[in-house]
Amino acid sequence: MSSSLPETLTLLQFGSVTNLMSLAIATLGAAAIFLFTAPGVGPKQRPAMTVSGLVCAIATYHYFRIYNSWESAYALDISAGLYHITGIPFNGFYRYADWIITVPLLMIELIAVLTLPAAKSRPLFIKLALAAFLMIGLGYPGEVSTSPAVIWSFFVLSMLPFLFILYVLFVELGASLATQPAGARGLIKTARIFTLVLWSFYPIAFVVGKSSVGNAGAEVFLQAGYTFADIGAKAGFGLLIYFIARAHSPFELENQSNKLAAH
Amino acid sequence: MSSSLPETLTLLQFGSVTNLMSLAIATLGAAAIFLFTAPGVGPKQRPAMTVSGLVCAIATYHYFRIYNSWESAYALDISAGLYHITGIPFNGFYRYADWIITVPLLMIELIAVLTLPAAKSRPLFIKLALAAFLMIGLGYPGEVSTSPAVIWSFFVLSMLPFLFILYVLFVELGASLATQPAGARGLIKTARIFTLVLWSFYPIAFVVGKSSVGNAGAEVFLQAGYTFADIGAKAGFGLLIYFIARAHSPFELENQSNKLAAH
């Protein structure tokens, strides 16, 4: 629980965070329903769709909690036109509870949609899910501590599994790309870049937020950065996984082989 | 956040807005469930039904927030029999957050239900969704500002993508009508008129509301107009899209060709 929230926030600062959290509920909730339905996806790609849907459903639940916790951490001083801290701590655990479940699942959905042979996919599943779990677990002490030594040493520790994940995605996974349908290859490369860019938002938000604890602008940047990254890394990424699944579906493969035959 | 709400509202004025917002929750929620189920619709039209259902589900969520925000913006003065402003700002962002997601999706559901070849549908998707996004994005500064110059210049800017959407629907889409099943053609024409009429409610409500900021009647007209238009443009329009999907379904097409054969 971060007891290091800024004392006051302007209406715009408080409202921006609240509104972005609400936007997360709406987009993640809609994405969950869409991914569970996943029109046009064949049975072999269904498991990846279910996992993507679960990630978004779990995040929707947590954003209700995060939104409510944020709302109770501040109260509007109407005469001053400012939000004042109430003393009820904002519960930062909800974010980490969400991430420790969903981030390993995000890695699993990426590998699952490729429908590689089990001998190839199993070690990838284990390596990526474990590294994701470690990354979040090592991040938490840094998030809740107020000691700079703890904050920054756990930040560095947490970055190591992140770098390992990038290594697996960009080096080891590259070898499997050749076995993918033509329509899926470009999308998988996009999914890797997406992971690199969107996941980088988290450490950036962390560094900005923790560099000036108690500063209103820094706290807004941290909360907005995490929320924005969650929308992209879960709902946006899920949509990308959906398009990869569609490119694998029997209907699309048939289309492609018809085109090849026509040449 | 509109800080320009009228100081007092009569019980009838406050209640009318509250009640219409509640009606929106009920109708949009029911429409979402109906569209997700979409009995009698074939697999090719399913994606359009899913998108229509999502539009209504997202709007249902936002109407819960809008309703709660409206309730906390006023408090009943029992002895005076009037609602007084509390000072807690009514969060106008919820409407725009809803629109910026759902209005592009409404355009996508209209094109998706026509099941045109990808070469024809893709440019329509992109043009219409982008124009819808711009229309809402340009409307927001006008909604939250208290300066007439800002209000009216963003109003004009926001009308430009709206006119472009009408041009695409009435001119460009006309060329695709001939390829539609006989039973769907009339419905598609209705859907265009529906879009023209219902979407016109939004700028009309805006003009009336913003012409006399702080006036109780004008604010009630604005809130009621937006809510009424949302029910029609999302639940009503979704139902229309459902009938177009039914007209495309294998069962209906068979019926029609039987009728032709009987002549």
Side-chain angles (χ1 to χ4, degrees):
Chain A
M1 275 163 260
S2 40
S3 50
S4 48
L5 286 180
E7 285 292 323
T8 59
L9 292 176
T10 66
L11 266 72
L12 182 65
Q13 286 170 335
F14 179 80
S16 302
V17 172
T18 313
N19 289 341
L20 207 51
M21 286 171 176
S22 171
L23 195 69
I25 294 173
T27 48
L28 289 163
I33 297 171
F34 178 77
L35 293 165
F36 286 134
T37 322
V41 169
K44 271 192 84 175
Q45 266 69 34
R46 281 274 152 198
M49 292 296 98
T50 304
V51 175
S52 310
L54 288 176
V55 165
C56 292
I58 294 166
T60 306
Y61 163 73
H62 281 117
Y63 267 99
F64 273 104
R65 292 280 183 216
I66 292 167
Y67 177 100
N68 290 346
S69 181
W70 176 255
E71 287 261 297
S72 60
Y74 284 94
L76 178 60
D77 179 345
I78 294 172
S79 58
L82 276 176
Y83 278 88
H84 278 289
I85 205 168
T86 56
I88 301 169
F90 174 66
N91 190 348
F93 178 76
Y94 291 133
R95 291 200 182 280
Y96 280 78
D98 183 69
W99 293 338
I100 208 137
I101 313 173
T102 59
V103 179
L105 289 179
L106 280 169
M107 291 291 92
I108 287 173
E109 81 186 57
L110 176 62
I111 302 305
V113 81
L114 306 179
T115 54
L116 303 168
K120 271 197 178 171
S121 65
R122 194 163 305 169
L124 284 171
F125 275 137
I126 295 171
K127 269 191 279 195
L128 288 170
L130 213 67
F133 187 85
L134 268 176
M135 176 174 77
I136 305 303
L138 289 169
Y140 190 58
E143 185 76 40
V144 292
S145 173
T146 48
S147 138
V150 176
I151 291 174
W152 300 113
S153 50
F154 277 95
F155 173 72
V156 170
L157 284 177
S158 164
M159 288 300 283
L160 300 177
F162 180 40
L163 295 175
F164 175 73
I165 289 171
L166 292 180
Y167 166 80
V168 174
L169 292 186
F170 282 86
V171 181
E172 291 197 19
L173 198 65
S176 300
L177 270 185
T179 66
Q180 293 292 304
R185 256 172 255 165
L187 289 166
I188 295 162
K189 284 185 187 164
T190 308
R192 296 197 300 196
I193 302 285
F194 217 75
T195 306
L196 170 64
V197 173
L198 275 167
W199 288 25
S200 298
F201 269 79
Y202 297 100
I204 292 170
F206 182 93
V207 167
V208 171
K210 298 294 170 186
S211 295
S212 43
V213 170
N215 175 284
E219 183 66 28
V220 169
F221 189 92
L222 177 83
Q223 296 298 339
Y226 281 168
T227 308
F228 178 79
D230 274 339
I231 295 173
K234 295 182 170 88
F237 190 74
L239 208 60
L240 200 59
I241 295 291
Y242 167 74
F243 286 118
I244 296 174
R246 281 285 294 261
H248 271 95
S249 78
F251 177 74
E252 286 292 323
L253 292 175
E254 205 177 284
N255 263 359
Q256 281 181 24
S257 66
N258 286 349
K259 271 188 209 155
L260 286 176
H263 274 286
Chain B
M1 277 163 256
S2 41
S3 51
S4 47
L5 287 179
E7 285 293 322
T8 57
L9 292 175
T10 66
L11 267 72
L12 181 66
Q13 286 170 333
F14 180 80
S16 303
V17 172
T18 313
N19 290 341
L20 207 51
M21 287 172 175
S22 170
L23 195 68
I25 295 174
T27 48
L28 289 165
I33 297 170
F34 177 76
L35 293 166
F36 285 134
T37 323
V41 169
K44 274 192 83 174
Q45 266 68 34
R46 280 275 151 199
M49 291 296 98
T50 305
V51 175
S52 310
L54 288 176
V55 165
C56 292
I58 292 167
T60 306
Y61 164 73
H62 282 117
Y63 267 98
F64 273 104
R65 293 280 184 214
I66 292 167
Y67 179 100
N68 290 345
S69 182
W70 177 255
E71 287 262 297
S72 60
Y74 285 94
L76 178 60
D77 179 345
I78 294 175
S79 60
L82 276 175
Y83 278 89
H84 277 286
I85 204 168
T86 58
I88 299 169
F90 174 66
N91 192 349
F93 178 79
Y94 290 132
R95 290 201 183 278
Y96 279 79
D98 181 68
W99 293 339
I100 206 130
I101 312 173
T102 58
V103 179
L105 289 179
L106 281 170
M107 291 292 92
I108 287 173
E109 81 186 57
L110 175 61
I111 302 304
V113 81
L114 306 180
T115 54
L116 303 169
K120 272 199 179 168
S121 66
R122 195 163 302 171
L124 285 171
F125 275 137
I126 295 171
K127 268 191 279 196
L128 289 170
L130 214 67
F133 188 84
L134 268 176
M135 178 174 75
I136 305 305
L138 289 169
Y140 189 58
E143 185 77 39
V144 293
S145 174
T146 48
S147 139
V150 175
I151 291 174
W152 300 113
S153 50
F154 277 96
F155 173 72
V156 170
L157 284 177
S158 164
M159 287 302 281
L160 300 178
F162 180 42
L163 295 176
F164 175 74
I165 289 170
L166 293 180
Y167 166 79
V168 173
L169 292 186
F170 282 86
V171 181
E172 291 196 19
L173 198 67
S176 299
L177 271 183
T179 66
Q180 293 293 304
R185 258 173 253 165
L187 289 166
I188 295 162
K189 285 185 187 166
T190 309
R192 296 197 299 196
I193 303 286
F194 215 75
T195 306
L196 171 64
V197 173
L198 275 168
W199 288 25
S200 298
F201 269 79
Y202 297 100
I204 292 170
F206 182 92
V207 167
V208 171
K210 297 293 170 187
S211 294
S212 44
V213 170
N215 175 284
E219 183 67 29
V220 169
F221 188 92
L222 176 84
Q223 296 299 337
Y226 282 168
T227 308
F228 178 78
D230 274 340
I231 295 173
K234 294 181 170 90
F237 189 74
L239 207 61
L240 201 57
I241 295 290
Y242 167 74
F243 287 119
I244 297 175
R246 280 285 295 263
H248 271 97
S249 78
F251 176 73
E252 286 293 322
L253 292 176
E254 205 177 285
N255 263 359
Q256 281 181 24
S257 67
N258 287 349
K259 272 188 209 156
L260 286 177
H263 273 286

